[in-house]
Structure formats: structure tokens, C-alpha cells
């Protein structure tokens, strides 16, 4: 059995007032006076919010309520099963002053409040000088980011043309965000794409060298014929791992054509033109795969940077739009 909260009187099964005969409820054993009450899912009694020390504004957030006696196992399902029930609450709307439950698959009770939340956020970024990137990082951690973004963006409509000409053009913050995104698009990303191409070409060169070095001429000729015999032979050869040189070059520079390179190779050398020639090289194990993975990862990172910058731009644009509306409302009041 659980422990009753300090403020809760010991249980009484009394249902009627001994003097007036009126039906009584709650831990206070008083009749219904019209005050806000909640029904217990365990014992079917009703309880005053005030008696339970639950703020009335939580009214809509109760999902499944159990009174203190049921939570203790004095009454309700816990009394027989020993599994003490607990009051369950709906998730509250994210807007601090709103105590409505969240709509399905949302962190807000309504689109209106998602928009208000976004506007508050923008306001906070503006007034407290928060790093917009920090705010963004927080937002990215939300699973419903897309919805949030959409809601928020719809929230600040673009001021009519002519009301604020050059609104976005003159803003240094926007310029900065745009130039960051531009740099990625025109410089950083092409650079990495270039490196990927270089790597591909170099890997192809190493393959060609290995082919020239370790594929016998007879096998090469057999490759074209489709007789059952030669196919069986090929399969046999493939099952034993073919010889190959490591091929790693620190700058991935193709020093000469594979046809020139291959004849200069001899098995005693471990390096030729800075190309690693070891047959089994633990030092550069899977160098091509590792480099490719790293470059592709860099590309992905850039893509998410671009997405982040686009989102920051949207936030900034919304800020600017809001400023226009604020100015407007001021001039109207004056
Ligand atoms: Zn009461
Ligand atoms: Zn109860
Ligand atoms: Zn709300
Ligand atoms: Zn090597």
C-alpha cells in the first residue's frame, strides 16, 4: 500500500452528509457546490481540484485520473491487484501560458500556438541576443521539426509589396548567411566533389596496374570466350584471392600511365614513384574505401549545413517581417 499525501485525510466510505442527507464527494466529504471536479477512474467518486491541490488550469490535461485513495491502494483496482494506478497527464502545449493538451503528433494544441511559439522564439533571439544557431540546434532536436518549421513559416506572412521595399536586401545578417551558403555551393562542395573524382580516377589506375601485373595473358584471352570449360576455369581462379599491390599514393597522383608503370615494377620493391607496392599492406588497409567514406561524409555534412543555413535565413526573414509589423503597430498607435 502507498502513502497518502500529508494534506489528505484518512479514507472514509461515507457517501451522505449525516445531518442534511445530501450526497457528498471528494476527500473533503462535502456536497457538489459547482466547483470544478474530476472523476476518479478507480472508485467513481468525484474530487475538487482545489482539495487535491491541482491547479484548475490543468483541467484539460487530465488523461486518466486516480484519487489519492486509489493511488494508495485503499480503493480501486490497486486494492485487489496490488498494482497501484497513477494519474496520467496529457502532454501540455509547448506555449508556456497555454494549458491545453497537444494535438495529435504535435507539440502544440493548435497551429495558432505553434505560430505563437515560433514568434516568441524569434522575439527571444532578437531581444536577448541569443545565438540563432543555438536556438536552431534545439529545434533540430525536435522530432516534429518539419511541422514546426512549416507552421512557423506560415505564421509570419510577407508584408505587402511597397510597404517595406528592400526589406531583405539591406540586411547584413541575411547577406552573411547567404554568402556562407554561397561559399559552400560554389567552393567547398565542388572541391570535395573534385577530390572524389580524383580518387575514383586513381583507384581505376591502380586497378589497371594490378590487372597488367597479375592477370596472365592467357587468362585475358580466355575472358572473351564463353565455352563452359573456360568459365569453370575462371571461377576456380577467382576463388583464390588475386595478387595485387596496395597502390596507395599520399596525394593520389597518377605518376604515369599504367602501361608505363607496370613494366618498371619488380616484387622486391616496396615503393615506386611513391606508390606503395606492398602485396599485403596492413598500413594502408582499405585506403580507397576509407577515403571515399570520408569524402561522402563531408558532402553529407555540407548538405546539412546548407539546410541549416536555409533555416536560419527563414528565421531571419521572419524576424525582419515581424519588425515591419511592429513598426506598423507603433505608428498606428501614435
Ligand atoms: Zn473536496
Ligand atoms: Zn478513487
Ligand atoms: Zn496551446
Ligand atoms: Zn600500402
Amino acid at each position: 500500500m502507498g502513502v497518502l499525501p500529508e494534506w489528505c485525510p484518512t479514507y472514509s466510505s461515507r457517501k451522505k452528509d449525516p445531518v442534511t442527507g445530501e450526497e457528498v464527494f471528494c476527500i473533503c466529504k462535502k456536497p457538489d457546490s459547482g466547483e470544478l471536479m474530476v472523476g476518479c477512474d478507480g472508485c467513481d467518486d468525484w474530487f475538487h481540484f482545489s482539495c487535491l491541490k491541482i491547479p484548475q488550469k490543468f483541467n484539460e490535461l487530465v488523461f486518466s485520473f486516480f484519487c489519492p485513495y486509489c493511488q494508495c491502494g485503499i480503493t480501486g483496482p490497486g486494492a485487489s491487484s496490488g498494482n497501484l494506478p497513477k494519474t496520467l497527464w496529457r502532454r501540455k502545449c509547448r506555449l508556456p501560458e497555454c494549458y491545453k493538451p497537444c494535438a495529435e503528433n504535435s507539440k502544440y494544441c493548435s497551429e495558432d500556438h505553434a505560430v505563437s511559439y515560433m514568434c516568441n522564439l524569434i522575439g527571444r533571439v532578437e531581444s536577448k541576443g541569443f545565438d540563432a544557431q543555438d536556438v536552431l540546434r534545439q529545434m533540430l532536436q525536435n522530432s516534429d521539426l518539419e511541422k514546426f518549421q512549416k507552421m512557423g513559416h506560415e505564421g509570419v506572412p510577407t508584408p505587402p509589396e511597397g510597404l517595406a521595399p528592400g526589406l531583405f536586401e539591406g540586411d547584413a545578417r541575411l547577406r552573411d548567411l547567404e554568402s556562407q551558403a554561397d561559399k559552400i555551393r560554389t567552393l567547398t562542395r565542388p572541391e570535395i566533389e573534385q577530390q572524389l573524382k580524383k580518387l575514383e580516377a586513381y583507384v581505376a589506375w591502380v586497378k589497371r596496374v594490378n590487372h597488367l601485373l597479375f592477370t596472365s595473358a592467357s587468362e585475358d584471352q580466355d575472358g572473351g570466350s564463353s565455352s563452359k570449360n573456360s568459365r569453370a576455369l575462371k571461377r576456380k581462379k577467382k576463388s583464390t584471392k588475386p595478387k595485387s599491390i596496395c597502390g596507395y599514393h599520399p596525394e593520389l597522383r597518377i605518376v604515369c600511365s599504367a602501361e608505363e608503370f607496370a613494366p618498371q615494377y619488380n616484387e622486391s620493391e616496396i615503393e615506386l614513384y611513391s606508390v606503395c607496392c606492398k602485396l599485403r599492406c596492413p598500413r594502408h588497409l582499405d585506403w580507397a574505401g576509407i577515403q571515399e567514406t570520408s569524402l561522402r561524409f563531408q558532402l553529407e555534412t555540407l548538405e546539412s549545413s546548407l539546410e541549416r543555413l536555409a533555416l536560419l535565413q527563414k528565421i531571419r526573414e521572419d524576424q525582419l517581417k515581424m519588425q515591419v509589423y511592429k513598426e506598423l503597430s507603433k505608428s498606428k498607435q501614435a
Side-chain angles (χ1 to χ4, degrees):
M1 209 180 281
V3 183
L4 281 175
E6 241 173 79
W7 45 261
C8 183
T10 47
Y11 177 71
S12 149
S13 59
R14 189 154 38 93
K15 294 277 180 222
K16 287 208 159 92
D17 187 294
V19 181
T20 64
E22 255 184 305
E23 195 179 8
V24 293
F25 306 89
C26 186
I27 60 176
C28 62
K29 298 295 164 196
K30 284 183 185 154
D32 179 10
S33 60
E35 203 191 311
L36 186 66
M37 294 206 284
V38 56
C40 174
D41 289 330
C43 63
D44 291 324
D45 200 347
W46 287 79
F47 296 83
H48 298 111
F49 270 67
S50 55
C51 290
L52 297 172
K53 320 270 179 218
I54 302 173
Q56 295 209 1
K57 58 192 177 189
F58 287 4
N59 185 18
E60 289 181 57
L61 296 174
V62 180
F63 175 75
S64 172
F65 171 80
F66 290 95
C67 72
Y69 306 121
C70 285
Q71 293 203 40
C72 266
I74 299 166
T75 48
S80 50
S81 69
N83 291 328
L84 302 180
K86 269 213 169 322
T87 295
L88 299 176
W89 299 93
R90 292 178 205 277
R91 197 134 66 128
K92 175 189 164 307
C93 173
R94 235 174 154 204
L95 201 67
E97 61 269 31
C98 174
Y99 286 90
K100 283 194 187 323
C102 291
E104 220 178 287
N105 294 323
S106 173
K107 288 186 174 162
Y108 312 92
C109 68
S110 59
E111 286 209 13
D112 271 2
H113 276 185
V115 167
S116 304
Y117 184 84
M118 180 66 153
C119 293
N120 282 351
L121 200 62
I122 293 167
R124 252 190 298 155
V125 173
E126 209 171 26
S127 64
K128 289 193 183 165
F130 276 175
D131 181 6
Q133 208 135 4
D134 269 347
V135 174
L136 197 70
R137 213 169 291 128
Q138 279 173 25
M139 283 163 60
L140 287 170
Q141 279 161 4
N142 301 326
S143 50
D144 60 348
L145 170 70
E146 231 180 67
K147 202 170 176 185
F148 181 73
Q149 224 177 307
K150 212 174 121 231
M151 284 176 163
H153 200 55
E154 287 166 357
V156 189
T158 307
E161 197 87 32
L163 201 62
L167 176 64
F168 298 151
E169 282 75 19
D171 186 62
R173 170 85 177 132
L174 269 184
R175 289 286 77 73
D176 178 49
L177 290 170
E178 267 163 27
S179 81
Q180 284 184 48
D182 246 30
K183 202 177 149 199
I184 290 177
R185 272 192 222 99
T186 60
L187 282 169
T188 326
R189 192 166 59 184
E191 230 166 65
I192 292 172
E193 281 166 348
Q194 193 63 41
Q195 285 179 44
L196 255 176
K197 270 192 196 140
K198 191 178 168 187
L199 177 67
E200 266 167 37
Y202 186 77
V203 167
W205 180 83
V206 173
K207 262 191 191 158
R208 179 75 190 142
V209 168
N210 276 318
H211 180 79
L212 290 172
L213 286 177
F214 302 107
T215 314
S216 70
S218 67
E219 216 179 301
D220 226 17
Q221 278 158 14
D222 269 347
S225 102
S226 61
S227 82
K228 275 180 186 170
N229 260 353
S230 74
R231 230 184 283 155
L233 192 84
K234 258 202 148 175
R235 208 170 290 155
K236 234 184 191 172
K237 284 236 160 156
K238 262 191 181 167
S239 67
T240 59
K241 213 185 163 198
K243 259 188 179 181
S244 61
I245 62 161
C246 163
Y248 175 77
H249 183 286
E251 289 156 44
L252 307 182
R253 200 186 318 129
I254 298 176
V255 288
C256 60
S257 76
E259 282 71 14
E260 285 172 78
F261 186 89
Q264 296 179 61
Y265 167 80
N266 78 61
E267 287 210 24
S268 61
E269 297 223 55
I270 55 163
E271 219 183 85
L272 184 60
Y273 295 116
S274 300
V275 176
C276 177
C277 291
K278 283 187 208 143
L279 289 179
R280 255 171 244 90
C281 176
R283 209 177 136 211
H284 306 126
L285 196 68
D286 193 30
W287 58 267
I290 290 166
Q291 290 203 20
E292 191 189 335
T293 309
S294 143
L295 288 171
R296 297 220 178 271
F297 177 74
Q298 284 179 53
L299 276 183
E300 272 168 42
T301 311
L302 285 183
E303 286 314 311
S304 59
S305 298
L306 283 175
E307 271 168 40
R308 240 178 33 224
L309 285 169
L311 195 53
L312 280 173
Q313 275 185 37
K314 271 188 193 170
I315 290 179
R316 181 57 185 162
E317 283 173 8
D318 281 352
Q319 280 182 338
L320 292 171
K321 289 180 206 166
M322 301 266 293
Q323 274 171 11
V324 173
Y325 293 120
K326 267 186 208 160
E327 289 304 317
L328 267 180
S329 67
K330 261 188 226 157
S331 59
K332 264 182 197 161
Q333 279 164 8

